[in-house]
Amino acid sequence: MAARRYESYLLRVWESDQAGELIWRASLESTDTGGHHGFADLDSLFAYLETVCQTLPPDDAQELTKPSVDI
C-alpha cells in the first residue's frame, strides 16, 4: 500500500453578527501540533484546506494500514 498524506483537525464553526449580518466564522486546531488557525468566513477556511492538501509534502505522509493480528 502506498503512503498517503494525512492531516487531522478539530473544526469549530459559529455564527457571528457583523453589522446586522450573520456570517459563519471558523477555526481549526491541529490534532498533531495544537496549532490554531482562525477564519473570518467559510471561503477562507476552504481556501486554506485546499492549500494544505495541495502542498503537504509526501515525506510527511503516514502509511495508513490495518494493524496486523496474530491468531
Side-chain angles (χ1 to χ4, degrees):
M1 175 181 256
R4 296 186 186 182
R5 296 179 284 183
Y6 178 84
E7 287 288 304
S8 178
Y9 298 98
L10 172 61
L11 169 65
R12 293 180 176 94
V13 293
W14 64 94
E15 277 188 319
S16 178
D17 187 327
Q18 183 176 7
E21 180 182 351
L22 291 176
I23 58 172
W24 284 100
R25 307 257 190 217
S27 70
L28 290 178
E29 179 182 345
S30 170
T31 60
D32 184 37
T33 67
H36 289 85
H37 297 278
F39 304 94
D41 53 49
L42 296 180
D43 288 338
S44 299
L45 167 66
F46 297 141
Y48 174 80
L49 290 173
E50 185 173 22
T51 299
V52 167
C53 291
Q54 292 175 351
T55 61
L56 186 65
D59 58 335
D60 283 353
Q62 299 175 4
E63 189 161 334
L64 301 175
T65 60
K66 292 182 181 178
S68 62
V69 178
D70 294 329
I71 298 179

